[in-house]
Amino acid sequence: MLPPIVHHPDYTAEIPADHRFPMLKYRRLAEIVSADGLAPAGFVVPEPATAAQLSLAHDRAYVDAVLSLNVPPAIEREIGLPMNETVVRRAAAATGGTILAARLALAHGLACNTAGGSHHARSDQGAGFCTFNDVAVAIRVLMAEGLIGTALVVDCDVHQGDGTAEIFANDATVTTLSLHGEKNYPVRKRQSTIDIGLADKTDDRAYLSALDEILAPLLDRTHPDIVFYNAGVDPHEEDRLGRLSLSDAGLAARDKRVIDAVRGRGIPLAGVIGGGYGADVEPIARRHALLHRAAAAYAG
Ligand SMILES: [Zn+2]
């Protein structure tokens, strides 16, 4: 059986066509994944995350401000997206999608969302194109339901997972690993359990060797009940915000290694797509599909 893929049409929100956030990549990714035969029975469609679920990782006042379209302008600027109704719907749907992918991962071993990885959202506000921290919410939902006791976040987006680090800073049940560009956004980094800050122009070989060095020992040491994998494609050499120099093959090798290491130990893995930036959504959407292809290859 191919791993379930979670998607919702609301992942694509309405923002100005010339906005620097490549919103249309979500729709295009779904088309590519379908055309590649990776979702033969169709997508699994999530329910939007509820205010109660979102409040397990975020301050209730912030959740209410977002859901009622009353985000203060300063926070809206920090998020970098116009906080209109479709953007809010997208944030709730994407978070619901990561919750669903996690449930499916617990049931089937491996499942991926076609959105998610909003790792800059902190407990009290969003930032960096991230409204709600979908992975943090999903972890807290599964824990509240007694489905997991521990979790590991493997964050390979090129930007540091500062929001995730902040939310779980005093939570010994959640281990956070961030492999990111040291000189990249955010300027003020938070302390993850383990931070690997990579130099500009880091290539496939150096990147994969840094990953190999850390991942297997970390999995053996923590043996979490679930792993959330942020497979951001912004470490790619052509990414507009990346600063690193990974190739398509390097990203594919990275995804395979993470999935092999986690699933090889019998640990469930929920994959989210993370960042990927540029004016042309086609190559970005194709890079994001590498995750779904790697998941299908593992299961097949
Ligand atoms: Zn990123």
Side-chain angles (χ1 to χ4, degrees):
M1 191 190 105
L2 287 171
I5 299 178
V6 177
H7 180 73
H8 196 296
D10 283 351
Y11 288 176
T12 307
E14 286 163 28
I15 60 174
D18 59 352
H19 196 283
R20 64 207 166 102
F21 186 80
M23 187 62 82
L24 296 176
K25 74 180 186 179
Y26 299 93
R27 182 177 299 153
R28 188 63 194 126
L29 171 60
E31 290 169 359
I32 291 168
V33 164
S34 290
D36 284 357
L38 301 178
F43 296 115
V44 195
V45 181
E47 294 291 325
T50 64
Q53 290 174 327
L54 295 164
S55 302
L56 293 172
H58 295 288
D59 295 352
R60 183 67 198 225
Y62 172 66
V63 170
D64 288 344
V66 173
L67 297 181
S68 62
L69 301 176
N70 281 309
V71 173
I75 295 179
E76 183 173 30
R77 270 195 303 279
E78 241 188 283
I79 293 173
L81 295 169
M83 296 304 290
N84 64 40
E85 202 182 325
T86 67
V87 168
V88 170
R89 223 171 24 229
R90 165 182 182 274
T95 305
T98 297
I99 296 169
L100 179 56
R103 292 190 198 285
L104 293 166
L106 292 179
H108 304 286
L110 183 55
C112 294
N113 198 355
T114 50
S118 297
H119 59 169
H120 299 307
R122 310 190 289 269
S123 51
D124 63 344
Q125 68 163 89
F129 304 134
C130 304
T131 306
F132 296 128
N133 194 315
D134 54 293
V135 165
V137 171
I139 289 172
R140 287 271 164 82
V141 167
L142 298 189
M143 284 187 171
E145 293 179 5
L147 297 173
I148 59 168
T150 58
L152 167 65
V153 181
V154 175
D155 188 340
C156 288
D157 186 285
V158 82
H159 304 99
Q160 199 224 9
D162 58 336
T164 317
E166 183 265 337
I167 290 169
F168 295 116
N170 299 308
D171 187 342
T173 62
V174 180
T175 306
T176 52
L177 165 65
S178 178
L179 201 72
H180 53 263
E182 184 60 33
K183 290 197 178 149
N184 216 318
Y185 176 97
V187 175
R188 188 187 161 210
K189 302 196 169 37
R190 308 272 180 148
Q191 177 78 52
S192 312
T193 311
I194 300 175
D195 287 296
I196 310 282
L198 301 163
D200 285 359
K201 301 283 178 199
T202 294
D203 63 7
D204 290 348
R205 218 174 122 159
Y207 187 98
L208 293 171
S209 111
L211 179 66
D212 284 345
E213 208 171 296
I214 196 73
L215 187 59
L218 183 62
L219 287 167
D220 289 335
R221 182 160 64 77
T222 57
H223 208 88
D225 294 335
I226 188 169
V227 167
F228 286 82
Y229 173 41
N230 182 334
V233 297
D234 43 15
H236 193 270
E237 58 195 338
E238 284 165 16
D239 192 90
R240 196 169 66 79
L241 303 179
R243 304 176 73 111
L244 301 192
S245 295
L246 268 66
S247 66
D248 285 351
L251 289 174
R254 176 195 70 173
D255 294 349
K256 177 174 166 30
R257 281 175 200 221
V258 173
I259 292 169
D260 284 352
V262 174
R263 294 298 302 129
R265 287 167 173 79
I267 302 168
L269 185 149
V272 298
I273 70 166
Y277 303 95
D280 183 5
V281 296
E282 185 64 24
I284 299 165
R286 292 204 169 275
R287 279 172 216 146
H288 282 305
L290 293 170
L291 168 68
H292 306 89
R293 221 167 279 148
Y298 183 86

